[in-house]
Amino acid sequence: MSAVLRVELRDRIAVLTLDRPERLNAVGSETVDRLTRALDDLRDNDDVRALIVAGAGRAFSAGADLGEIESFTSAGQFRAFVGRLTQAYALLEDFPKPSVAAVHGFAFGGGLELALACDLRVVERGARLGLPEMKLGVLPGAGGTQRLPRLMPPAIAKQMILTGEPIDAERAWQLGLVNELAEPGWALATAEKLAGGLTAGAPLALAAGKRLVDYGLGMDLEAAIAYERETVAVLFTTEDRAEGLKAFRERRPGEFRGV
């Protein structure tokens, strides 16, 4: 992979590391293209059961690449850039394997939007999270105004969006945006431990669990429960379900194959 994004496989976990430390891992078109390609390559890789998204250097990501954006000469170019960014983040959100963002330093703008597209977030104490676009006269354009209020109290999300002011990791954890706080320097290790627990699950059930939560939030309760019932019925017919019950009776970890 290009230097802008490193992909490493670590015991059923794919670690995707933004690798532009000299630009504070600003997300530009090349990063978006590499992220899209990596997700396509990993989607059907049975050796990968979970993803971690991390950043090299001093921070997770400063956001979208302002240098690239300043080179645009029309609204159409900016719209196309935001469209590619949005599509890449949607691929991550819809990825059939669970994902964990390992955040240190800060995650601003498009960097925070990347973390929001992950299923879970591990953030180091003292890190800052924010959507500063309002201070530039624009708004988050890669899902920030929509994902953030679905993951924390809407009034606080609105305050962050309308003021552009960040919050720290501790506050984000109190509000439910962060799943686990890590000590400084330990975001990646903590994320690996969390992701390692996820890899023990049955792949079909993990993918179905993601869909049930994500899609169910957009349904009324009756329809969502019906969707849940049908999904669980399908899982009952899988070999992994039979293996899970057998493993439980034999008091051993299940050996799930995703079938």
Side-chain angles (χ1 to χ4, degrees):
M1 302 298 288
S2 166
V4 301
L5 182 74
R6 287 187 282 111
V7 179
E8 304 168 83
L9 301 184
R10 304 181 185 178
D11 192 19
R12 292 191 169 186
I13 301 170
V15 181
L16 283 59
T17 304
L18 302 176
D19 196 14
R20 298 181 73 193
E22 74 286 355
R23 297 296 304 275
L24 296 175
N25 299 320
V27 180
S29 293
E30 186 178 3
T31 302
V32 171
D33 292 343
R34 295 296 182 177
L35 175 61
T36 299
R37 188 182 305 176
L39 292 173
D40 286 341
D41 290 344
L42 295 169
R43 186 180 186 89
D44 296 321
N45 186 336
D46 292 337
D47 292 330
V48 174
R49 297 288 180 90
L51 301 181
I52 293 175
V53 181
R58 295 194 295 116
F60 181 76
S61 174
D65 189 335
L66 293 182
E68 181 175 350
I69 291 173
E70 287 174 351
S71 72
F72 299 152
T73 58
S74 69
Q77 289 177 301
F78 180 68
R79 183 181 298 109
F81 172 78
V82 171
R84 292 194 299 274
L85 194 61
T86 302
Q87 290 172 356
Y89 290 1
L91 283 176
L92 176 59
E93 184 175 49
D94 293 337
F95 199 71
K97 302 159 188 182
S99 57
V100 182
V103 177
H104 73 290
F106 50 81
F108 291 153
L112 178 56
E113 289 174 308
L114 174 59
L116 296 178
C118 293
D119 296 303
L120 307 174
R121 280 154 293 281
V122 171
V123 182
E124 289 184 8
R125 293 182 183 275
R128 293 181 298 153
L129 312 175
L131 297 172
E133 286 84 352
M134 178 62 71
K135 295 184 177 182
L136 301 177
V138 291
L139 288 169
T145 67
Q146 301 307 306
R147 290 193 178 99
L148 190 63
R150 286 169 167 79
L151 294 168
M152 66 189 303
I156 305 299
K158 190 179 292 184
Q159 180 179 357
M160 291 177 63
I161 292 164
L162 298 183
T163 67
E165 293 295 330
I167 61 175
D168 62 28
E170 290 80 0
R171 176 68 169 150
W173 179 74
Q174 291 169 352
L175 293 167
L177 180 60
V178 171
N179 295 89
E180 292 194 22
L181 287 174
E183 295 303 316
W186 287 87
L188 183 55
T190 304
E192 285 188 275
K193 182 177 179 181
L194 179 57
L198 296 171
T199 63
L204 295 176
L206 287 170
K210 284 189 55 166
R211 290 195 305 271
L212 282 171
V213 174
D214 292 341
Y215 297 174
L217 286 171
M219 303 177 183
D220 64 67
L221 183 59
E222 183 177 359
I225 290 176
Y227 178 39
E228 175 189 73
R229 181 172 61 248
E230 293 306 311
T231 300
V232 172
V234 171
L235 290 174
F236 185 81
T237 66
T238 65
E239 293 181 20
D240 277 351
R241 195 278 310 173
E243 163 61 13
L245 181 59
K246 182 179 179 182
F248 176 77
R249 287 175 172 168
E250 295 176 357
R251 298 184 179 182
R252 60 172 175 80
E255 298 178 4
F256 301 116
R257 300 187 298 116
V259 293

